[in-house]
């Protein structure tokens, strides 16, 4: 039996069974609850190469989404020519999805790779050597440090580098320059996952494990279109759904996705909530648990704080009111709550439908509340997965190359800062810790005003991926700020830079990374980078050397040279913190099937689930944050936190629903939401260069439901124009089942159909994640279908 | 209780001044997205406090003629410009919110003495929300200060 899956691309009859473009999740291995997920190995080699013709295979894991599927890279004549899933890997048991299978290697020998540094000469970017390019950066950097000090420097990094590279960047930025202006595009994809975990439990760290899929009796997916974003995880869920005792699937998503289609058949329910109303829904679910008595009162009393306030906040969110706000049937709210409240093992997963939407942190914290009220954590099948978007986002959070302090430390805690100062042998005053580190949107505002005079962008393409693209391009291209970009390709962002550095990519360098369920993988170098391209790690070290950064004894600040040395340095920095790598080494990783942190002397094989002992990292002296007001983002002080004496208890926190910032109006009568397609990753830097993926999803489109399209006189295939107060885009229309009144546009594409031309500059007050999914728009016919 | 009535009138007025000032800052710094949206949200909070207070005002009457001293603050009529301007505006909002808060504290004391449950409830819940406003203003000022003081032109 096959369900929940629909092929999106029609191919000629007789298409290959193993074609992951046509059959995205691939062949089923259905199995009952509690039994193991059987291996199934996916393999793809370029140019019709046979497996036996491959010269050698190099251990790695896929970096095209946060799943981190274990794979081996095929090398032939010094080129990466394909990938094969690792049957023994705990994450994927050999499977790879379309992006991993077809998108992992073709980019690497694409003729348009950057192979030499570029510098701006009289308005044009011209090729040069490394000394010249680095010389320009260092001259500008020194000038700004002399004239304005460290606050003149900003770094905007990625969710796609390796742990070692982020850690090096964190050391260079925090201890070398000493700027608080460091963030990554992880802010756009995963900041709310981190924020919600910190608010509820006291520190970041994924409570659940992918193994929970094998044990769950119900799976709740909140704004997580897993069929589109992490296809191998979806396959894993489908193998349960297609088994003899499927888990009830509950899906919160305005669109009629493949996940939504699985709900009915499993006895679950699809809640197609109106965009921007997630908080009302989770408050309603919490209220149902409370009023129906589906709570573990003894556990809640022993292990949580804040029940009374929570009860007061959610009191008004009865199913009728929630149904009215969210545009769903009150009985469906009751039914979803009943499944959650009466099932022993529930797995919840959360992603962009919550994170990139209105009141992101409050909504995601609501999911944590549901689990806390039932004491449903740390046992098989009872997981929370606050998912990540990008493959290595987790490491950015751990090492603190983004807006976090290294090792899940608390910037408000002087002891934590002191420890870092010892590790790096610098004065604690050097490490900026006077306030929450500057978030991405603010960094760009400072760059806009010119108070950040040097902005360094690594491995990301903000000209396409950030909200209100026209403004971002103006900032990057303006005279007020010197922009350095390091990337694999000459991206839309690189085109606006003052210096462009050619970077080595995955398979061209060695490093580790950690997926969404804390699984650490080692990715070894398979081939040499092209031309003069260098790893991001080498680039940070070259900059640190050229700047002559020193520790407080006058020795070089950067004492570690190889990826393995950096990993070992990180291991020391992580010791004793929630993300503890202290018993992990490259040697262990070379023989592991994927290992989940914390990995310590007591837990040498890693830790499947956090909080099995119901002890949370909330102690005042240990926690990563004292917490925030979910409405305003105002920070709780140390005294206030201490007065609550959390002592290992988790926080129940809730906030009222507020209407989205931009409301529909006569002029802009539709709600706009943006999202992803299964065939593309991020701004398509890699996937757009893989022929099968590009052919499957070559360009943008606009989705409307049939009723809305009809009312606008639009038919499937017509050229549509979407307009918001920020701008307009054009793309062909697809008529799809979804919540009426909503228009959807995928965010991957640049140019005429660039979704972020439409989105607003607004962010969640706690996680500071931009709100890509709530704006008001209008759609009109721009031309007939076919020829356009 | 003429003085309690004066204070009830005073807090009503101060909440209005604070709401107006939040809106002025929201408009004046519309390009600073978080400040813009949050100031509007917090202005709405002040409006709600006044709505909740309205029945009490009716009961006591607004006897605000015999103020012992000039306790009234003026609203911010125009936002300042730039990063330093924002910092100053946030500081002004903080001053106004502090006045609102301390006035609620005083009123809550009076309400206790009078066993006026309705007034006590409004005073306490409003004071808690004013604390949230102050916390945010503090957080936002701390974030804005270094850049504004050291690097801004
Ligand atoms: S699911 Fe994600 S990690 Fe796995 S193969 Fe697909 S893109 Fe790669």
């Amino acid at each position: 039996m096959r369900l929940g899956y629909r092929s999106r691309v029609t191919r000629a009859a007789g298409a290959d069974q193993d074609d992951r473009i046509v059959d995205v999740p691939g062949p089923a291995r259905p199995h009952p609850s509690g039994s193991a997920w059987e291996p199934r190995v996916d393999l793809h080699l370029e140019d019709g190469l046979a497996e036996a013709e491959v010269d050698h295979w190099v251990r790695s894991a896929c970096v095209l989404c946060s799943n981190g599927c274990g794979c081996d890279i095929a090398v032939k004549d010094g080129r990466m020519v394909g990938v094969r899933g690792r049957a023994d890997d705990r994450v994927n048991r050999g499977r790879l999805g379309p992006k991993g299978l077809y998108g992992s290697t073709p980019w690497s020998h694409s003729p348009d790779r950057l192979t030499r540094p570029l510098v701006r000469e009289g308005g044009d970017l011209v090729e040069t050597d490394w000394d010249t390019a680095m010389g320009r950066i260092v001259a500008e950097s020194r000038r700004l440090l002399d004239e304005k000090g460290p606050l003149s420097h900003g770094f905007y990094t990625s969710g796609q580098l390796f742990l070692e590279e982020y850690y090096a960047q964190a050391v260079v930025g925090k201890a070398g320059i000493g700027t608080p202006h460091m963030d990554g595009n992880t802010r756009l994809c995963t900041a709310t996952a981190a924020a919600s975990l910190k608010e509820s439990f006291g520190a970041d760290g994924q409570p659940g494990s992918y193994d929970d899929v094998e044990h769950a009796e119900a799976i709740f997916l909140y704004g997580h279109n897993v069929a589109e974003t992490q296809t191998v995880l979806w396959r894993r869920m489908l193998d349960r759904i297609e088994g003899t005792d499927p888990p009830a699937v509950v899906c919160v998503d305005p669109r009629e996705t493949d996940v939504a289609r699985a709900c009915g058949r499993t006895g679950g329910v699809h809640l197609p909530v109106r965009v921007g109303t997630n908080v009302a829904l989770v408050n309603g679910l919490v209220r149902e648990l409370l009023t129906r008595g589906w709570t573990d009162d003894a556990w809640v009393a022993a292990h949580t704080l804040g029940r009374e306030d929570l009860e007061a906040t959610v009191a008004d969110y009865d199913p009728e009111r929630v149904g009215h706000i969210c545009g769903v049937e009150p009985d469906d709210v009751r039914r979803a709550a009943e499944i959650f409240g009466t099932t022993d093992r529930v797995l919840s997963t959360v992603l962009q439908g919550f994170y990139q939407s209105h009141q992101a942190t409050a909504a995601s914290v609501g999911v944590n509340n549901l689990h806390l009220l039932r004491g449903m954590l740390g046992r098989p099948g009872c997981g929370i997965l606050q998912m990540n978007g990008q493959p290595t986002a987790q490491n950015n959070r751990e090492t603190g190359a983004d807006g976090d302090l290294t090792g899940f430390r608390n910037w408000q805690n002087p002891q934590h800062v002191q420890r870092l100062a010892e590790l790096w042998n610098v004065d604690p005053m050097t490490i900026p810790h006077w306030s929450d580190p500057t978030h991405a949107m603010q960094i760009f505002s400072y760059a806009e005003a010119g108070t950040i005079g040097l902005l360094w962008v690594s491995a990301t393409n903000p000209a396409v991926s950030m909200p209100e693209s026209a403004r971002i391009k103006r900032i990057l291209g303006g005279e007020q700020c010197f922009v350095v970009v390091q990337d694999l390709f000459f991206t839309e962002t690189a085109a606006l830079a003052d210096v462009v550095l050619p970077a080595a990519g995955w398979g061209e360098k060695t490093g580790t990374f950690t997926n969404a369920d804390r699984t650490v993988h080692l990715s070894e170098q398979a081939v040499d980078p092209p031309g003069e391209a260098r790893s991001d790690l080498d680039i940070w070290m070259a900059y640190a050397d050229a700047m002559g950064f020193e520790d407080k004894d006058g020795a070089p600040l950067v004492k570690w040279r190889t990826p393995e040395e950096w990993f070992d340095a990180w291991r020391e920095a992580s010791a004793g913190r929630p993300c503890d790598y202290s018993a992990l080494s490259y040697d262990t990783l070379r023989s592991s099937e994927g290992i989940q942190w914390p990995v310590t002397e007591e837990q040498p094989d890693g830790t499947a689930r956090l909080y099995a002992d119901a002890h949370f990292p909330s102690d005042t002296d240990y926690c990563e944050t004292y917490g925030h007001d979910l409405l305003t983002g105002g920070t709780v002080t140390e005294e206030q936190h201490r007065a609550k004496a959390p002592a290992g208890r988790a926080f129940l926190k809730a906030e009222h629903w507020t209407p989205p910032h931009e409301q529909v109006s006569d002029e802009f009568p539709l709600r706009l939401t943006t999202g992803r397609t299964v065939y593309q990753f991020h701004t398509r830097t890699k996937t757009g260069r893989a022929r099968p993926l590009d052919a499957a999803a070559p360009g943008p489109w606009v989705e409307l439901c049939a009723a809305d399209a009809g009312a606008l006189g639009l038919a499937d295939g017509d050229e549509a124009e979407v307009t918001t107060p920020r701008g307009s885009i054009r793309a062909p229309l697809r008529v799809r089942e979804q919540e009426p009144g909503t228009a959807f546009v995928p965010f991957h594409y640049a140019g005429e159909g660039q979704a972020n031309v439409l989105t607003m500059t607004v962010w969640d007050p706690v996680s500071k994640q931009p709100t890509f999914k709530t704006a008001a728009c209008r759609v009109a016919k721009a031309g007939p279908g076919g020829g356009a | 209780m003429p003085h309690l009535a004066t204070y009830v009138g005073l807090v009503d007025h101060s909440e209005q001044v604070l709401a107006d000032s939040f809106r002025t800052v929201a408009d004046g710094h519309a390009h600073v997205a978080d400040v813009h949206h949050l100031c509007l949200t917090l202005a709405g909070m002040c409006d709600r406090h006044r709505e909740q207070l309205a029945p009490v005002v009716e009961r006591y009457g607004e006897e605000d003629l015999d103020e012992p001293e000039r306790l009234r603050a003026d609203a911010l009529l125009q936002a300042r410009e730039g990063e330093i301007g924002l910092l100053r505006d946030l500081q002004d909002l903080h001053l106004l919110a502090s006045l609102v808060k301390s006035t609620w504290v005083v009123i809550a004391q009076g309400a206790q003495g009078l066993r006026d449950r309705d007034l006590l409830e409004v005073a306490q819940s409003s004071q808690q929300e004013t604390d949230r406003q102050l916390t945010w203003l503090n957080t936002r000022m701390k974030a804005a200060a270094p850049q504004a003081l050291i690097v801004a032109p």
Side-chain angles (χ1 to χ4, degrees), chain A residues 62 64-65 67-69 96-97 99-100 230-232:
Chain A
C62 175
L64 290 171
C65 84
N67 219 49
C69 296
L96 295 171
K99 276 179 294 186
Q230 291 103 353
T231 61
V232 171

Side-chain angles (χ1 to χ4, degrees), chain A residues 148 151 181 434-435 442 446 449 451-452 629 631-635 655 661 760-763, chain B residues 33-34 37-38 41-42 45 83 132 135-136 139-140 142-144 146-147 150-153:
Chain A
K148 298 182 172 179
L151 299 178
H181 308 322
W434 49 74
S435 148
Q442 185 67 58
Y446 287 153
T451 66
I452 285 181
D629 184 325
L631 176 72
T632 65
T635 48
E655 189 41 64
H661 296 303
M760 311 171 69
T761 300
V762 54
W763 53 84
Chain B
D34 62 330
H37 291 294
L38 263 171
T41 303
L42 299 182
M45 232 181 218
E83 289 177 29
R132 296 174 75 178
T135 300
W136 175 71
T139 303
R140 194 61 183 79
K142 282 176 81 172
Q147 202 74 9
I150 303 171
V151 207

Side-chain angles (χ1 to χ4, degrees), chain A residues 698-753:
Chain A
W701 69 91
V702 182
E703 281 180 24
L704 287 176
C705 74
D708 288 338
L712 293 164
L714 277 157
D716 200 83
D718 280 350
E719 184 79 359
E721 186 179 60
V722 187
T723 307
T724 69
R726 269 79 51 201
S728 295
I729 66 162
R730 291 170 73 139
L733 181 76
R734 289 188 192 173
V735 175
R736 287 284 181 277
E737 275 178 55
Q738 61 188 10
E739 202 249 329
T742 304
F744 169 85
V745 189
F747 90 109
H748 311 283
Y749 302 92
E752 274 225 313

